[in-house]
Amino acid sequence: MYILFDIGGTKMRIAGSRDLSAFVGDPLIIETPEDFEEGIRVLIDKISILATGESIEGIAGGIAGPVDQGRGMLLGGPNLKGWVGKPLATRLAEHFGVSVKIANDTALVGLGEIHFGAGGMEGISAYLTVSTGVGGCRFVDGEIDMASVGFEPGHQIIDAGKGLCSQCESGTLESYIGGAATQRRMKKRPYDIDDLGFWDEYAKWLAYGLNNVAVFWSPKTIVLGGSMIVGDPAIPLDHTKECLKGILKIFPEIPEIKKAELSDLGGLYGGMILIKQSGS
């Protein structure tokens, strides 16, 4: 059996697969412990339960934040401070005696989407999630592209002087359209905002970010996921596309824009592909 996991800032998802194409039963969803030692104990315990005595052949998973894939550990990020610099892959490998692959959680979600969900495996594609924060990754022929540290498109500056939003915390895309930043600014949860004009404005701000993704990464396809995209209410993608057409003039046409299809399980599907591509 293969084990797949996705460690987010609030929830941890764990699943088993025998053929790297489907899960064995339903994935487990539990709270993510803030402390690494507690977290690794919980993770080992749940993996053992999922394996139900079967031999584990490989483990792969994602964690929220930039990742040192060589050392298999989280390098930073605001949501899992207790896990930063801790030997996640090493501890799992030592306990179960198998190879363990670790990647940024958003990169794995995107990998799952382009292989099992919205598509876009051929050529260059991009995945962006607009949820609590904004993250993303670039893919080439169905594989996570090389990067010295990682990809953080949410930290691109779309408005240095904050002329578009004086109340925004900074000029980054994440500060403008991320769910956590929105809640702090609006004093209410994004899904409690039913003003269509508000969401149309977010579509325009998202289009500014996608323009930068397009001119720097040159993707054929951009897949968009996260609660601010697939929730209700959400950023209207039709309006985003129209705004992008009005902004992106250097290319003859905009990339194909698709909505993510795998809900909260994209990272587990991405783990299957990571194991396949690594030959574990």
Side-chain angles (χ1 to χ4, degrees), residues 179-256:
T182 298
Q183 183 167 336
R184 290 192 295 269
R185 184 170 68 249
M186 302 300 294
K187 311 301 183 188
K188 62 173 67 176
R189 295 167 296 188
Y191 53 78
D192 290 328
I193 301 172
D194 56 10
D195 178 5
L196 295 181
F198 170 89
W199 292 104
D200 282 343
E201 190 75 358
Y202 268 43
K204 181 174 69 176
W205 294 344
L206 174 57
Y208 292 147
L210 296 183
N211 174 80
N212 297 337
V213 168
V215 296
F216 279 106
W217 288 358
S218 193
K220 177 182 178 182
T221 304
I222 300 176
V223 179
L224 298 173
S227 59
M228 302 288 280
I229 299 293
V230 301
D232 183 20
I235 300 173
L237 291 194
D238 286 345
H239 189 49
T240 300
K241 294 175 187 178
E242 289 305 313
C243 290
L244 184 56
K245 289 177 182 177
I247 298 168
L248 184 57
K249 299 295 188 180
I250 192 65
F251 298 148
E253 58 185 23
I254 68 171
E256 183 178 13

Side-chain angles (χ1 to χ4, degrees), residues 65-134:
V67 169
D68 183 328
Q69 293 187 353
R71 293 187 293 168
M73 64 175 61
L74 183 66
L75 291 177
N79 298 318
L80 289 170
K81 294 180 180 179
W83 295 65
V84 173
K86 302 299 174 63
L88 174 59
T90 298
R91 292 285 292 275
L92 292 176
E94 289 176 347
H95 186 88
F96 292 105
V98 297
S99 173
V100 178
K101 302 296 180 182
I102 307 292
N104 168 265
D105 62 337
T106 300
L108 271 200
V109 172
L111 193 63
E113 281 291 344
I114 66 174
H115 284 268
F116 287 98
M121 281 193 295
E122 296 181 358
I124 298 170
S125 58
Y127 173 77
L128 264 71
T129 180
V130 187
S131 187
T132 303
V134 178

Side-chain angles (χ1 to χ4, degrees), residues 166-178:
S166 62
Q167 302 302 313
C168 287
E169 296 163 0
S170 72
T172 66
L173 182 63
E174 180 170 289
S175 178
Y176 269 56
I177 66 174

Side-chain angles (χ1 to χ4, degrees), residues 20-87:
L20 296 177
S21 62
F23 303 130
V24 177
D26 295 326
L28 299 178
I29 303 175
I30 57 177
E31 298 291 326
T32 302
E34 294 181 4
D35 176 70
F36 172 75
E37 290 300 330
E38 180 185 356
I40 199 72
R41 286 195 299 270
V42 170
L43 190 55
I44 288 173
D45 178 62
K46 299 304 180 183
I47 288 174
S48 300
I49 291 172
L50 280 173
T52 60
E54 292 186 38
S55 174
I56 296 176
E57 300 178 61
I59 300 174
I63 188 167
V67 169
D68 183 328
Q69 293 187 353
R71 293 187 293 168
M73 64 175 61
L74 183 66
L75 291 177
N79 298 318
L80 289 170
K81 294 180 180 179
W83 295 65
V84 173
K86 302 299 174 63

